Amino acid sequence: SAIPLAQLTFNILASVPEFADVFFAKLVQRVGGWPIPYAVPNQDYDGRKWESNEERLKVMGFRKSEEGNALESEAELSSRAAGIMRVYFLILQINPPHGPLSPMFQTTRYWSWFARILDEKSLMQSPITAELIYTALNVMGHDALQIWGGQWIKLLALIYEGVTVGFGSNRCIGGQTAEGRASRVRVQLEIERIMSTIT
């Protein structure tokens, strides 16, 4: 269902002024900083400390669990964020026929997303990071190879290193949880699939 949703959203973005700002704000509201990506700090933008850990977790994208009043688990957020981000990456993949969309929905944003997530050290240990990297590669990894060529291969090599041996003192992308390890394997297999298409 992500492909038709992405196409519909793309059509609205291309035809309704100001929709891009509203839609991107809703993306951030639903999944926290993952569309940018950024780590939520210990205080709000105005310097105010979060009233509770629950308030900070909500800003990070956590919602009430379907099983009760408690907040969803990291695995539930990861699954939900991956679905929402799949739609976002599919929008980035569409080539607009009538001129570029808002900067947040242009293809170059895909490269920026990878650059930011790999630079945000506080996100590296989150299993959500590995799952979203897998989602991004699954949607547009081969297209990115066609667009950026050798530079994309270098970035894939860096990600591959991050999911196999890790960056210094065995700090692998996705951390050491079961979800993180599973997502790392998916990233590894997806990179190998993309690289196998090079002739």
Side-chain angles (χ1 to χ4, degrees):
S1 65
I3 294 173
L5 281 173
Q7 186 62 58
L8 173 66
T9 306
F10 174 85
N11 292 340
I12 296 170
L13 286 166
S15 59
V16 177
E18 308 303 325
F19 181 70
D21 292 338
V22 172
F23 183 68
F24 197 78
K26 289 306 271 184
L27 279 177
V28 172
Q29 182 185 28
R30 296 302 300 159
V31 296
W34 296 107
I36 296 176
Y38 76 93
V40 174
N42 292 325
Q43 58 191 22
D44 206 347
Y45 73 96
D46 59 1
R48 178 185 66 84
K49 296 274 188 202
W50 303 114
E51 291 179 13
S52 65
N53 191 46
E54 184 174 319
E55 180 186 17
R56 182 170 185 259
L57 289 172
K58 284 183 181 180
V59 172
M60 292 171 66
F62 287 89
R63 297 290 174 251
K64 289 205 184 281
S65 176
E66 294 177 7
E67 299 173 7
N69 285 336
L71 291 178
E72 65 190 346
S73 68
E74 196 168 48
E76 289 172 314
L77 171 60
S78 182
S79 176
R80 187 170 54 78
I84 292 170
M85 291 301 292
R86 181 171 295 275
V87 172
Y88 179 63
F89 294 130
L90 283 164
I91 293 167
L92 298 181
Q93 187 180 35
I94 300 171
N95 188 11
H98 305 294
L101 297 177
S102 166
M104 297 310 281
F105 296 97
Q106 293 177 12
T107 302
T108 54
R109 184 74 183 137
Y110 185 77
W111 180 276
S112 299
W113 187 86
F114 273 98
R116 288 186 62 108
I117 202 158
L118 292 173
D119 188 49
E120 191 71 58
K121 291 173 181 48
S122 60
L123 295 178
M124 282 292 104
Q125 295 297 298
S126 171
I128 301 170
T129 297
E131 185 63 27
L132 294 183
I133 288 174
Y134 163 74
T135 302
L137 292 173
N138 183 255
V139 169
M140 201 175 150
H142 182 72
D143 292 337
L145 178 62
Q146 304 304 314
I147 296 167
W148 292 294
Q151 293 301 317
W152 183 246
I153 292 171
K154 290 177 186 177
L155 188 68
L156 289 178
L158 179 66
I159 296 168
Y160 196 84
E161 178 185 343
V163 297
T164 54
V165 296
F167 304 123
S169 65
N170 201 23
R171 292 174 51 101
C172 290
I173 294 172
Q176 297 303 319
T177 65
E179 293 89 5
R181 288 192 300 271
S183 294
R184 275 201 311 275
V185 170
R186 284 193 289 275
V187 170
Q188 181 180 349
L189 294 173
E190 191 63 28
I191 291 173
E192 290 171 1
R193 184 190 68 79
I194 293 165
M195 296 302 290
S196 71
T197 64
I198 299 174
T199 54

